[in-house]
């Protein structure tokens, strides 16, 4: 088992759970408290119930922004890039192009330093487009696509 965590970015999901949708910074702070608490409990040999894996399950932290990726680089066994970023309202995910994704990977690798070979990198697949449906993609997803990918969204790392 791997335990996957993130700060959340879809306001509608918070609304459905009837919990407040704080700012991105506050959500990252909450995630950091969760991660450090879990790591502390996993390391405490007296804590019950003990996890099946001695140091707890591998921790996957997913995100895109600098602050969240710094947190992931410090604590995660697996860093999942979301393949894009949400606007301030959390309603629309803007998909990242190849260059933006490469920049995020380089940023994470720089943060990891000596841990770079020990931490798995992952990218979230946001959309699977069967070949028969590729013709409708530009019209349906154009607002989400970077300008250089409107005609070839299948080239995006998360598609």
């Amino acid at each position: 088992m791997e335990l996957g965590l993130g700060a959340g970015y879809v306001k509608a999901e918070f609304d459905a759970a009837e919990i407040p949708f704080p700012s991105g910074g506050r959500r990252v702070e909450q995630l950091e408290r969760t991660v450090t608490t879990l790591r502390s409990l996993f390391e405490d040999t007296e804590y019950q119930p003990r996890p099946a894996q001695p140091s707890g399950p591998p921790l996957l932290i997913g995100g895109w922004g600098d602050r969240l990726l710094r947190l992931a680089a410090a604590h995660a066994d697996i860093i999942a890039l979301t393949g894009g970023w949400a606007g301030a309202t959390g309603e629309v995910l803007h998909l990242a192009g190849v260059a933006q994704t490469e920049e995020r990977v380089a940023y994470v690798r720089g943060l990891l330093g000596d841990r770079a070979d020990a931490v798995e990198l992952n990218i979230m697949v946001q959309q699977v487009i069967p070949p028969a449906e590729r013709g409708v993609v530009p019209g349906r997803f154009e607002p989400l696509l970077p300008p250089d990918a409107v005609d070839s969204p299948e080239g995006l790392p998360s598609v």
Side-chain angles (χ1 to χ4, degrees):
M1 180 183 104
E2 297 170 345
L3 176 59
L5 301 171
Y9 63 88
V10 181
K11 185 179 182 309
E13 292 174 354
F14 283 73
D15 292 344
E18 298 181 353
I19 57 177
F21 183 68
S23 69
R26 296 284 299 168
R27 295 192 314 273
V28 173
E29 288 171 7
Q30 291 170 342
L31 176 61
E32 184 170 22
R33 282 193 302 276
T34 299
V35 168
T36 56
T37 298
L38 286 171
R39 286 291 192 204
S40 175
L41 292 173
F42 294 155
E43 292 170 5
D44 181 355
T45 57
E46 301 300 315
Y47 180 75
Q48 294 295 322
R50 292 295 311 140
Q53 295 160 291
S55 60
L59 183 58
L60 177 150
I61 298 178
W64 190 259
D66 288 358
R67 189 170 173 192
L68 195 141
L69 291 176
R70 283 193 303 272
L71 173 65
H75 297 282
D77 301 296
I78 305 158
I79 299 175
L81 298 170
T82 56
W85 63 96
T89 63
E91 298 299 324
V92 176
L93 181 71
H94 303 278
L95 297 177
V98 172
Q100 292 162 313
T101 303
E102 287 174 345
E103 184 277 327
R104 294 286 76 193
V105 169
Y107 180 72
V108 166
R109 288 189 191 281
L111 293 171
L112 287 169
D114 294 342
R115 286 183 7 103
D117 290 338
V119 174
E120 178 183 328
L121 297 183
N122 169 301
I123 189 160
M124 180 177 180
V125 175
Q126 293 287 347
Q127 185 72 40
V128 175
I129 305 167
E133 294 180 22
R134 289 191 182 147
V136 300
V137 170
R140 186 169 38 162
F141 295 104
E142 189 169 358
L144 309 176
L145 301 173
D148 61 346
V150 171
D151 295 326
S152 58
E154 67 277 0
L156 295 175
S158 63
V159 175

